[in-house]
Amino acid sequence: MSSLFALLSLATVAFGARPFLSYADTGIDVALSGVPNGTLPDLSEMKALNDFEWVAERNLNESSWAFYRAGAGGEWSYRNNLESYGRLRFRPRVLTDITQIEQNMNTTLFGHTFSAPFFMSPFGRAGYAHADAELNLVKAAAEENILYVASMHATKTLDEIASAKAEGQITGHQFYNEGTDEDTLAYFQQVEAAGGKAIFFTVDSAGDGNRHRAARWSVTSSDSGYTYATWDYYKHLQNLTSLPIIPKGIQTVEDAKLAIAYGAPAIFLSNHGARQLDHVPSSLEVALEIHEESPDIFQQIDVFADGGVRYGSDVLKLMALGVKAVGAARPFAFANIYGVDGVKKALQMLKHEIAIDCSNMGLNDVHSINSSYIKLNNPIWNGWYS
């Protein structure tokens, strides 16, 4: 116990001794120092997903930036979402044939095949970055054959998003419990009519988030107040549609088990982008908890996860623990400032990073990754998720 307190004390000192960085210093400040704020650099200058955040901060108005960037409370969970990946180490293998990795990225989700093991998580108000809002997201997703999960709090209507879909394109749709059963049934029917193939039920926002940064510009949560939602209510929702309803916001192994007990077809590890409750674990830490305490869960149902994903290596660390597919939101929200081409480039970047990282880990198929490719008994994890 004393060693645990010592480790946590050291972590506190480390957190206080250095600035709060949202993204790594890759030289973009120097390379693009001549580009004035309010001017978009050429899209070819974007070399990493974090570059889009750098551009967005300098081009969005203050309220739009605050909406996208805000976390809950002191934003410690926001920071931890980003930093937790750096506390888990890879164990790469060498001298293996990796030349077919780009042909072995396809991923099947609820019976449909996509080009990579990641997807666009739902995020609201895409119109804050671009007038075409979610239309850019769905079009870019179609071109890259990536799953797009549309937010229930989108700028564009569900019908407008559906009309922008390519022929045969598969989408998912977020759901909040915000009305009567009649409202819910009508929404589910609208999703079905729009060709949606899965509903992601957000279960981690029973109350509004304390988003102080966003509150300064009155752009806090669209899902305000206190929301009724129980496991019995989840069971009730399953009777209102034939589509799979996936609980999004699982943060403990106990709730992962309950989801299975209540017939969930999959679970989604998420802390809502650290926007609801501060001082909660990252999805990587939750995945580690499940892997250590009940690893059979990953065999029983598909597990999705998001939160703080900025690199291909982040995706692979979650997959090594058993996650089937990984979501990202903010990078695509920021990339949308360039419209369809920006979102498409961001998708391509993440695909490329995953393929490159796989090759350098000795993987010829992204789905071959498992826990032997990461260092699990690293003492630096002690106390971070318990």
Side-chain angles (χ1 to χ4, degrees):
M1 183 62 69
S2 59
S3 61
L4 170 58
F5 280 120
L7 178 62
L8 291 176
S9 298
L10 287 172
T12 301
V13 171
F15 273 14
R18 55 185 173 76
F20 190 150
L21 298 177
S22 293
Y23 43 84
D25 178 6
T26 58
I28 191 171
D29 277 310
V30 175
L32 301 182
S33 60
V35 179
N37 289 354
T39 301
L40 291 180
D42 191 89
L43 188 55
S44 65
E45 296 289 348
M46 301 297 99
K47 309 299 182 184
L49 287 184
N50 281 325
D51 291 352
F52 291 107
E53 183 169 353
W54 186 93
V55 170
E57 186 174 6
R58 287 155 180 78
N59 285 272
L60 294 177
N61 62 44
E62 290 176 335
S63 63
S64 297
W65 169 252
F67 178 80
Y68 286 144
R69 170 57 185 79
E75 299 187 338
W76 294 107
S77 286
Y78 174 90
R79 179 174 186 162
N80 185 55
N81 275 4
L82 297 168
E83 293 188 335
S84 60
Y85 296 102
R87 296 195 293 271
L88 193 63
R89 300 290 179 257
F90 282 131
R91 299 183 65 250
R93 306 300 300 273
V94 298
L95 296 179
T96 63
D97 179 6
I98 50 78
T99 55
Q100 298 300 308
I101 182 58
E102 291 191 2
Q103 287 72 50
N104 293 323
M105 296 269 286
N106 284 354
T107 301
T108 301
L109 305 176
F110 35 86
H112 304 278
T113 301
F114 300 92
S115 65
F118 70 89
F119 58 94
M120 275 195 271
S121 281
F123 61 88
R125 307 304 181 219
Y128 286 169
H130 194 282
D132 288 336
E134 291 81 15
L135 307 187
N136 295 329
L137 307 177
V138 72
K139 289 176 182 178
E143 291 192 44
E144 292 300 317
N145 189 21
I146 292 292
L147 173 66
Y148 168 55
V149 181
S151 171
M152 194 175 180
H153 294 147
T155 302
K156 300 294 185 179
T157 67
L158 198 156
D159 287 340
E160 288 174 321
I161 293 170
S163 68
K165 290 170 61 172
E167 184 177 356
Q169 182 178 359
I170 303 302
T171 54
H173 295 265
Q174 182 190 35
F175 169 70
Y176 290 89
N177 177 28
E178 295 179 345
T180 65
D181 266 3
E182 290 74 18
D183 296 328
T184 297
L185 180 59
Y187 179 72
F188 286 177
Q189 290 173 342
Q190 192 179 11
V191 168
E192 293 171 2
K197 297 303 180 184
I199 293 171
F200 292 80
F201 176 27
T202 296
V203 297
D204 59 2
S205 59
D208 197 3
N210 290 314
R211 303 175 193 172
H212 301 145
R213 182 192 300 269
R216 296 189 187 281
W217 284 273
S218 301
V219 288
T220 52
S221 175
S222 300
D223 179 34
S224 59
Y226 298 97
T227 302
Y228 172 80
T230 66
W231 284 109
D232 286 336
Y233 176 71
Y234 171 67
K235 195 71 176 176
H236 170 67
L237 290 178
Q238 293 173 317
N239 296 322
L240 300 182
T241 179
S242 61
L243 296 179
I245 301 179
I246 301 164
K248 177 184 181 294
I250 301 298
Q251 296 171 75
T252 63
V253 67
E254 291 91 344
D255 279 342
K257 291 177 179 178
L258 278 171
I260 293 174
Y262 277 84
I267 59 173
F268 195 147
L269 312 182
S270 179
N271 60 24
H272 212 103
R275 293 163 70 83
Q276 290 303 114
L277 178 65
D278 207 3
H279 306 289
V280 293
S282 69
S283 290
L284 184 68
E285 292 165 317
V286 177
L288 180 63
E289 178 182 300
I290 294 172
H291 184 276
E292 292 188 340
E293 296 186 20
S294 192
D296 56 306
I297 286 174
F298 292 110
Q299 280 71 54
Q300 293 179 51
I301 56 173
D302 286 347
V303 178
F304 304 139
D306 69 4
V309 173
R310 301 294 186 272
Y311 303 96
S313 58
D314 299 341
V315 173
L316 293 177
K317 286 177 181 179
L318 283 163
M319 292 183 68
L321 290 168
V323 170
K324 178 72 175 292
V326 176
R330 281 187 177 97
F332 305 119
F334 297 137
N336 194 32
I337 199 169
Y338 285 95
V340 174
D341 289 342
V343 181
K344 184 177 177 181
K345 178 156 187 175
L347 293 169
Q348 293 170 344
M349 280 180 173
L350 191 51
K351 278 186 190 179
H352 182 66
E353 284 199 9
I354 292 171
I356 289 295
D357 289 340
C358 277
S359 66
N360 286 317
M361 289 177 63
L363 287 163
N364 197 39
D365 185 329
V366 67
H367 301 291
S368 296
I369 195 168
N370 55 55
S371 59
S372 72
Y373 286 88
I374 52 177
K375 184 74 171 177
L376 282 175
N377 60 343
N378 190 336
I380 199 168
W381 278 101
N382 290 342
W384 282 104
Y385 67 95
S386 62

